[in-house]
Structures are given as C-alpha cells and as structure tokens.
Amino acid sequence: MKRILQLGIIYLVLLIIFLPLSMAQTLDKSIEEKINTYKEQAQAYQLEGNSIQEAENYNKIAYLYWENRMLNQAIDYFSRSLKLNKQNNNQNGIKTIYYNIGLIYADQEEYQRAVENFRQGIEYARNLKQKGGIYTGLINQASALKNLSQHKEAVTILNEALSYAQELNNLTLVRTCYGMLAENYEALGDSENALKYFDLFATVDKHIKAEQIKTIEEKSKEDIRKAEVEKAQSQKELSERSSELEKTKQTLQQTKELTEKQKLELELNRLTISEKEAELRNKRLIIYGILLIFVVIIFFSILVYRQFQAKKRANKKLADQNVQIFKQKEEIEKQRDLANKQKLDITDSIEYAKRIQTALLPPLSFIRRSLPEHFILFKPRDIVSGDFYWMMNKDDKIIIAAADCTGHGVPGAFMSVLGTAFLNEIVNKIVENKHVYSLQANEILNQLRSYIIESLHQSGADNESKDGIDIALCIIDPEKQKLQFAGAHNPLYLIRDNELKIFKGDRMPVSIHQKADKSFTNHEIDIFKDDVIYIFSDGFVDQIGGPKKQKFMSGNFKELLLKIHKKPMDVQEQILEKTFEEWKGDYIQLDDILVMGIKLETANRKLVPKDKYDWSDKTILIAENTEMNYLFLVEALKITDVNIVRAQNGTEAIAMFKENPEIDLILMDINMPGMDGFETTKEIKKIRKDIPVIAQTALNIEDAKDKAVEVGCDDFILKPIRLKLFLATLNKYLKS
C-alpha cells in the first residue's frame, strides 16, 4: 500500500511538470496544416530561385503565427521575408514588414525595439512619398515613445503626423493626433496645451460622430419606410384574397339554390310521365345531384384551403416584417442612447471649460476693491461665452474692458482666452518698458490687434477666417480725475447731469482689416463726481423680442440707462436683467450679453495708505506657477515697494534661493506641478532654517494647513487674498 502511494505521488508531480508544457502555445490542426503547406511551397520556390513567391509564403506563415499569438515565430518569418524583399528592392514590402515587426514588439512591450522598427519603416515610406504610410509609422512610433515615457519626443512625432493628416484631409486621423497630443501634454504637466488639444479632439470627435449618427438615422428611416411599404402591400394582398373568398362563398350559395330549384322541376316532370321513367330519371338526378354536390364540396374545400394557406403565408411574412421593424427600432434606440451619451460627455467637457473660463475672469472681490460702485450683467448664450470682461491695476490706474469675440459658445470662448492672456501680457509689458510705450488705451488696442493677427496667422486672404474682437477699453486715473477710452466698434456711454454722451469706437475690429495699419483713436475725458459710465457688447441691443418681434435697439437702451442711472448699481443690474428677460419672452437668446456700469465718484479710494508699509529694502521670493495669481500678488505688494523675484516651480525656487542670500521671505504656492510647495519648503528649510516661508493656496483644506506646519511653513494664507490681512501677515516677518 505504501509503495502504491509513493508511485501515485511521483505520477502527480510528473503530471504537474509536463502538463503545462503540453498545453503551451499549441496550434489548431487546420492552422498547423496551412503553415506546413506554406513552408513546403516556400521551399519549392527557393529551389526554383523565385525569391518573390518565397517571401510571400514567409509572410503568410508569419501572419498565421501572429494571429495565434506565437509572436517570436512571427518575428522570425517576417525577418526571413524582410531579407528577401531587401534583395529584390521591394521598398513597399520592406516598409510593411518593419511596421509589422514594430507592432509585434509593441505587443510584447519591447517598446525600444518597436520604435527602431517603426523608424526604419518610416524611412522607406518617405522614399516612396506615401503620406498615409508616413502617418501610420509616425502614429505607431509616437505610441511606443509614450509607453517609454518619452513624451517630448512623442509630441514632436505627433506634430509631424498631424501635418500629414491635415494634408490627407482625413478628420479621423486628425482626431487621433489631437487625442494623443493631449495625453502627452498632460503627462508633461502642460495643462494649457493638454486642454487645447483635448478641446480640439472633442470638437473633431463631435463632428465625426454627428456625421455617423446622421448616416445611421437616414439609413434607419429608409429601412423603416421600406418595411412599412411591404407591410401595406401584404395587407392589401390579404384584403384582396379575402374579398375573392367571399365572392366564392356567394357563388356556392347561388349554385346550391339553383340545384334545389332543378330538383323541384324534375319532381313536377316525374308526375307527368310513367312510373318507370320517373324512377329512372329520379335515380339519375339523385346520382347526378350527389356527384355535383361532391364536386362542389371538393372545389370549395380546395379553394378554402388555398385561401387559408395564402393568409397563413401573408401573416408569417407580416410577422417577420414586424420582427425586423422591432430590431431596427432597437438599433435606432441604441444609436439614440449612444448619441445622448456622447452629447452628455461633450457637455461635461464644455462645463469643465466653463470653470476654466470663469477662473480667468477677474474675481468680483478684486474689482470691488478698486471700483466699489459697479455692476456686471454677464449672461452667456451657451455654457461658455465669447464675451468677457477684464481688469487690471497698474501705475495707480484702473484698466477695465468689455469685449465681444467673434462667435459665441466654444469658438468664442477660445478667442476670449486669447484676449485675456494677450491683455495681461501687453499691459505688463507696457508698464515694465515705459521708455518704449506709454499706458494709453489706444496703444493697448494697437498691440492687441498685432497679437491677434500674428497668433491667428491672418494675412487678409479671402479664404481665411476673419476672427477678431470688438472691445471697449477704459483707463481710469482717479488721482488726476481723467479717463482714457479706445474702442473697436463698441462705444462708451457717459451720463453726467442727466445727459448721455457717446464716445464712439473706431469702425474696425481688433484683427486683420483694411484699416489695420491705422491707430485706434484715444479719447481723453475729464471725470467729475457722480459720473456714470457704461461699456457693453451688442448682445443686449440686438436681442429679438417684444410684441413686434424686433431688436431692442440702441435708442431704447439709452432711454433705459438715463432712466435708471441714479439708482444703486445692484438695482440697475436687476432692472436691466428683468427688462431683457421680459423683452426676450419665449424667443431664444441670440448672443452673449455683457453690460458693465461704473460710478466714478468713489473709484479713487485706496484700501491701504502707501506709506503704511515700506519694504523697499526687503526682497520676497514668490513661488507661483499660475500667471494670474502671480500678477495679483505683485499688484497687492506694489504699495510696499518691496523687491520681488519669481520662481515658477519648486526646483527653480530652490535654485534661486541658493543664488540670492538677500531673500527675506518666501511666498510658497503648495500646488505647483512637479515638486510641490511642501517638498520645496522642506528642502529650503534644510538650507536655511530661519527663512520665513508663508504657504498660499486656493484650497481651504484643514489637512493642508497641518501639513504646511509639519514641513516648516511659518504661516498660511488662503487665495483670493484679503489685502489688509495679507500685508499685516507679511509685516510680522519683515518688520524686524
């Protein structure tokens, strides 16, 4: 018994060892027979010296191994074919084999080998000038580079692939490039480009899927129409056959009645002749009558049976058609659900874009500090807006603008993002280079026009886009009681002593135009107590509505402003919004709405006296990667005359701190990409423990405060900052 048990254990061990080997990568018998056949054919062609057919059979063997996941064998036979194709200088075949080997290596996650094979394949595609072949190789190479985390190289390859996709005019290929560019930029931490290419991907994807859905809907409608026609025809045939059956029944009834009548006549005749003749005739009549009735019954039965079978076939055909219609209905409903899901995904993306666009607008608390009495009526037509408002404080002046970009929705929102970024850059450049430019309203618009033309590559050709911006821009100087205004199409309304005065904008946009070489006009205006100014886009006055279904018109708009201009600014906003909604009624909103009203009498208040904090002998390092947040901090610190240096990430902050021992305090953003503010603070505290580090974030998270203290931060500030509290906090560490 013990011996049997030992033999059983040995057999089980051998089974465990050799069973997986017997199961590993076995081929189906039919596939193996095909491979052996191709090998025999390849050997025969080799003996004949026909290297072309020999290579073709090697390719067939390689594809069969590839399809059955025997990847090493597939690479072996592709390599044999590659050698023969090189001997025959078959460049197209060489290119294809390199691509296939690259794809197999990618399947095996040997991405470096995949990249090398794709690169060699692309060289042959370039020699052949195959745009589609070059695109395919570039896309595959970029995918392998992405898996190797070589995202910069992948972006370079994808930009070239995008140019070929655009030359081929293939939106599907373009969409693929946009999606892969967005993924690689996201991996690089470049959120701006990631968002840009994601939005481009979503736009192209929406267009392609809309066309697909449209095609499916048209095909489904045609199939339903055909099915309904066939159903109607079947019902018509069934009705006709039912009518014929009814006529046959009537004929049989008439025949039966006729037979009874003949029997009565024979009976009368029988009474007039002899008994024998009567009996004989009577017998014959009975026999004939029975035969006739039998024939009629048979005929009627056959007819009824045929009608029944025809009706049965018609009902079956009708049932089959109903099943087909039901299947088509289910398919249409699936496509509808898919379209609704895609619409929801796109809407979610646009909602996210709205949050980004809203974040770019100046915070109302920031505007209220400089302009205590104001209102902003802002009603985008769609989720995102082509209208935007903008404000900045520079050289003790308040610069504010109301802009209307070409279009609305997503295209207009893209232009608004460009406009906001360009205005920030232009005003900062003018202030920092006073020997080059002065801070004038028309000069800001002149430079904005140059930025738009250059960035959109506008040349004035008839077939190019004419995208641009209509804008009203003001520079308010509270100290000198002066106001500058420059406008592109949009005017400035000023109400003083119950009189409305109009300062017209130039009749040209901020974009390419036949007058693009001419400067915008700069209006200089003295301002007085109780002056009220209004700047706006054209959406309010162009809204269709009212009892006559017409535009609101600028005349009605002026009368409304004169009527309400003395009321509090928040009340004015409520009246304007209510008037707009009542005028619009059940009509759709045609355009984005933007109206800004400002009362100038208290615009010259300063929250903090300039001489309260004098830090002219101090230096602050601001570690902040977001441009808008950095500009707000610079503006808040302007009255202190402090020296400012900036780092845009944690690594740069550490390097600058090492190079600048005169730094007295660090404002540290905790949410920087790469090395965040916590890690950066720990490294800086290792260099100099007593340097004050104040953490700053827009997230009011309790554990963020705790972690800031844990890594050595001396204080914690929430954004948006409150100016007095912000300066008082910094003063605690700088006053010594």
Side-chain angles (χ1 to χ4, degrees):
M1 183 68 183
K2 183 177 180 181
R3 179 64 176 169
I4 294 172
L5 182 61
Q6 289 175 342
L7 289 173
I9 292 172
I10 293 170
Y11 177 79
L12 180 62
V13 171
L14 291 173
L15 184 64
I16 292 171
I17 293 172
F18 290 106
L19 182 60
L21 295 176
S22 66
M23 296 176 64
Q25 290 192 320
T26 58
L27 287 172
D28 183 83
K29 186 175 181 180
S30 62
I31 299 298
E32 193 170 2
E33 289 175 356
K34 283 185 180 180
I35 290 175
N36 290 332
T37 300
Y38 290 142
K39 286 181 179 178
E40 292 172 1
Q41 291 177 359
Q43 188 175 8
Y45 284 125
Q46 183 181 25
L47 294 173
E48 293 174 5
N50 190 342
S51 58
I52 295 175
Q53 290 299 322
E54 181 185 356
E56 184 63 26
N57 278 276
Y58 287 153
N59 283 336
K60 292 177 180 178
I61 295 169
Y63 279 118
L64 286 171
Y65 278 133
W66 191 2
E67 291 170 0
N68 289 275
R69 302 300 299 169
M70 300 181 71
L71 303 182
N72 291 329
Q73 292 88 332
I75 291 174
D76 178 37
Y77 278 91
F78 272 134
S79 298
R80 297 186 190 189
S81 177
L82 178 63
K83 182 178 179 181
L84 294 174
N85 276 282
K86 285 184 175 179
Q87 292 176 5
N88 294 313
N89 196 27
N90 181 6
Q91 296 195 27
N92 192 59
I94 295 169
K95 175 208 70 178
T96 302
I97 293 171
Y98 272 129
Y99 283 175
N100 289 340
I101 294 174
L103 290 170
I104 294 173
Y105 277 130
D107 286 345
Q108 293 179 321
E109 298 185 355
E110 294 186 38
Y111 297 114
Q112 193 59 52
R113 288 188 173 185
V115 168
E116 179 57 26
N117 279 276
F118 290 140
R119 183 189 63 75
Q120 295 188 61
I122 291 168
E123 290 178 3
Y124 283 93
R126 293 189 195 280
N127 291 338
L128 294 168
K129 297 181 179 179
Q130 294 178 344
K131 294 181 180 179
I134 297 170
Y135 170 88
T136 300
L138 292 171
I139 283 293
N140 289 332
Q141 189 177 17
S143 178
L145 287 168
K146 176 178 177 291
N147 286 308
L148 288 170
S149 298
Q150 297 179 17
H151 301 293
K152 288 185 179 178
E153 292 83 352
V155 166
T156 302
I157 295 296
L158 286 169
N159 280 321
E160 184 181 0
L162 177 59
S163 67
Y164 281 106
Q166 290 169 339
E167 288 180 23
L168 292 168
N169 197 25
N170 189 320
L171 283 180
T172 302
L173 303 184
V174 170
R175 176 182 63 179
T176 300
C177 290
Y178 284 154
M180 292 180 69
L181 280 166
E183 291 175 353
N184 281 280
Y185 275 120
E186 184 178 20
L188 288 168
D190 188 345
S191 57
E192 181 178 355
N193 275 316
L195 176 61
K196 168 186 170 183
Y197 284 105
F198 176 79
D199 286 338
L200 288 170
F201 171 85
T203 300
V204 175
D205 186 66
K206 175 183 178 182
H207 174 77
I208 291 173
K209 290 179 178 176
E211 291 297 320
Q212 292 173 346
I213 291 170
K214 181 179 178 183
T215 301
I216 292 170
E217 288 179 346
E218 289 176 353
K219 183 177 183 304
S220 298
K221 289 179 180 178
E222 180 62 20
D223 291 342
I224 291 172
R225 187 191 66 78
K226 288 181 180 179
E228 289 176 346
V229 169
E230 291 177 2
K231 179 179 179 181
Q233 184 65 30
S234 298
Q235 290 175 338
K236 180 180 178 183
E237 292 175 1
L238 183 61
S239 176
E240 290 174 352
R241 290 175 181 175
S242 298
S243 177
E244 291 175 3
L245 180 61
E246 185 63 29
K247 289 180 181 178
T248 302
K249 288 180 179 179
Q250 292 176 359
T251 301
L252 288 173
Q253 183 63 33
Q254 291 173 357
T255 302
K256 184 177 180 181
E257 291 174 358
L258 181 61
T259 302
E260 292 294 329
K261 184 177 180 181
Q262 290 174 346
K263 285 171 68 178
L264 290 173
E265 290 177 351
L266 288 173
E267 184 66 21
L268 291 172
N269 291 332
R270 187 180 62 80
L271 295 174
T272 60
I273 61 175
S274 64
E275 186 177 349
K276 288 185 178 181
E277 290 177 351
E279 289 178 358
L280 289 172
R281 287 184 179 180
N282 189 35
K283 289 179 181 179
R284 290 192 190 106
L285 286 173
I286 292 171
I287 292 170
Y288 291 153
I290 292 171
L291 289 173
L292 180 61
I293 292 170
F294 183 71
V295 170
V296 170
I297 291 172
I298 291 174
F299 174 76
F300 178 75
S301 299
I302 292 171
L303 184 61
V304 170
Y305 178 77
R306 289 182 64 186
Q307 292 293 334
F308 173 76
Q309 290 296 324
K311 186 174 181 180
K312 183 178 179 182
R313 286 194 299 272
N315 287 336
K316 185 178 183 302
K317 184 177 180 181
L318 186 60
D320 292 341
Q321 290 174 345
N322 286 335
V323 170
Q324 186 64 27
I325 291 171
F326 180 76
K327 290 181 178 178
Q328 291 172 347
K329 180 183 176 184
E330 285 186 328
E331 182 62 28
I332 292 171
E333 289 176 347
K334 288 180 181 178
Q335 296 296 332
R336 180 201 63 199
D337 294 341
L338 176 61
N340 289 337
K341 183 179 183 303
Q342 292 169 343
K343 179 181 178 182
L344 180 61
D345 291 342
I346 293 168
T347 302
D348 289 343
S349 297
I350 298 175
E351 287 285 358
Y352 186 74
K354 178 185 178 182
R355 293 200 295 272
I356 295 173
Q357 186 183 34
T358 302
L360 291 175
L361 295 173
L364 296 180
S365 59
F366 172 69
I367 299 175
R368 193 174 296 111
R369 284 199 293 268
S370 299
L371 300 170
E373 292 196 54
H374 79 280
F375 72 81
I376 301 175
L377 175 60
F378 183 49
K379 293 175 68 67
R381 195 199 82 161
D382 303 309
I383 299 173
V384 289
S385 172
D387 287 5
F388 71 94
Y389 55 91
W390 173 86
M391 178 182 166
M392 184 177 284
N393 291 338
K394 286 293 178 184
D395 285 349
D396 297 325
K397 299 179 180 66
I398 303 164
I399 311 164
I400 192 159
D404 182 359
C405 300
T406 302
H408 42 71
V410 174
F414 275 117
M415 284 297 296
S416 73
V417 171
L418 277 179
T420 300
F422 288 158
L423 285 169
N424 289 332
E425 184 176 348
I426 289 166
V427 172
N428 284 315
K429 182 180 71 173
I430 290 175
V431 172
E432 293 169 5
N433 299 276
K434 294 181 180 177
H435 59 288
V436 180
Y437 300 112
S438 60
L439 191 58
Q440 292 186 322
N442 66 329
E443 186 58 42
I444 295 173
L445 295 194
N446 290 337
Q447 291 196 49
L448 180 59
R449 177 171 58 193
S450 298
Y451 275 55
I452 293 292
I453 292 172
E454 182 179 352
S455 64
L456 298 183
H457 307 292
Q458 295 178 334
S459 62
D462 293 337
N463 59 346
E464 72 178 12
S465 67
K466 300 297 188 295
D467 297 319
I469 301 175
D470 294 343
I471 188 170
L473 185 140
C474 299
I475 301 177
I476 303 169
D477 189 340
E479 184 177 346
K480 295 181 180 179
Q481 294 294 293
K482 294 283 188 182
L483 181 145
Q484 294 182 46
F485 164 73
H489 286 303
N490 291 355
L492 165 74
Y493 286 1
L494 184 148
I495 300 180
R496 178 184 300 157
D497 298 330
N498 295 316
E499 181 181 352
L500 187 147
K501 188 173 183 180
I502 300 174
F503 296 90
K504 294 183 178 180
D506 294 292
R507 296 182 65 82
M508 54 182 175
V510 180
S511 65
I512 194 70
H513 189 263
Q514 60 185 2
K515 298 180 182 179
D517 57 335
K518 295 183 179 180
S519 173
F520 287 94
T521 305
N522 196 58
H523 301 271
E524 292 194 7
I525 308 163
D526 293 324
I527 55 178
F528 298 93
K529 182 182 179 182
D530 295 330
D531 281 356
V532 183
I533 62 171
Y534 299 92
I535 51 178
F536 45 86
S537 65
D538 59 2
F540 197 110
V541 298
D542 285 347
Q543 177 61 42
I544 297 294
K548 296 183 179 179
K549 194 181 178 181
Q550 60 186 11
K551 292 184 178 181
F552 190 81
M553 304 301 288
S554 59
N556 292 330
F557 187 57
K558 294 172 193 175
E559 290 180 7
L560 179 60
L561 293 180
L562 278 170
K563 183 178 178 181
I564 68 173
H565 78 279
K566 290 186 178 180
K567 296 182 182 294
M569 304 309 285
D570 57 342
V571 176
Q572 290 189 44
E573 180 184 0
Q574 294 171 13
I575 293 172
L576 283 168
E577 183 169 11
K578 181 180 179 182
T579 302
F580 175 80
E581 292 297 332
E582 290 177 349
W583 179 263
K584 179 173 74 71
D586 295 331
Y587 298 110
I588 62 170
Q589 182 175 329
L590 298 178
D591 202 354
D592 302 315
I593 306 298
L594 174 59
V595 181
M596 301 179 68
I598 303 167
K599 189 172 183 180
L600 298 174
E601 68 173 322
T602 58
N604 58 349
R605 285 194 309 159
K606 296 182 180 178
L607 292 176
V608 182
K610 185 173 182 179
D611 58 353
K612 185 172 182 179
Y613 300 112
D614 181 8
W615 299 334
S616 55
D617 60 339
K618 304 292 184 181
T619 300
I620 292 178
L621 169 61
I622 299 178
E624 173 63 68
N625 67 300
T626 304
E627 187 68 22
M628 183 64 72
N629 292 339
Y630 170 70
L631 294 175
F632 285 161
L633 291 172
V634 171
E635 188 64 29
L637 292 168
K638 184 176 180 180
I639 61 174
T640 69
D641 291 329
V642 72
N643 299 307
I644 296 173
V645 292
R646 179 191 182 187
Q648 298 194 40
N649 55 59
T651 304
E652 189 176 328
I654 294 170
M656 293 183 71
F657 181 69
K658 290 179 179 179
E659 295 171 3
N660 296 277
E662 70 276 7
I663 291 174
D664 299 287
L665 183 142
I666 299 174
L667 285 172
M668 182 69 68
D669 180 18
I670 66 174
N671 297 309
M672 292 183 294
M675 181 183 291
D676 63 19
F678 298 128
E679 288 297 321
T680 306
T681 300
K682 287 171 66 176
E683 295 301 318
I684 286 176
K685 286 289 186 176
K686 289 178 183 178
I687 301 169
R688 196 173 117 200
K689 189 173 182 180
D690 63 336
I691 183 70
V693 178
I694 300 178
Q696 43 150 340
T697 182
L699 302 174
N700 188 8
I701 304 173
E702 192 63 35
D703 60 355
K705 294 182 181 180
D706 296 339
K707 191 170 182 180
V709 173
E710 180 184 334
V711 299
C713 292
D714 298 273
D715 219 320
F716 192 92
I717 293 174
L718 287 175
K719 296 181 289 188
I721 62 171
R722 290 183 289 173
L723 184 58
K724 288 183 178 180
L725 178 61
F726 173 67
L727 294 176
T729 301
L730 267 61
N731 192 50
K732 288 192 302 184
Y733 300 97
L734 294 175
K735 63 184 178 180
S736 58

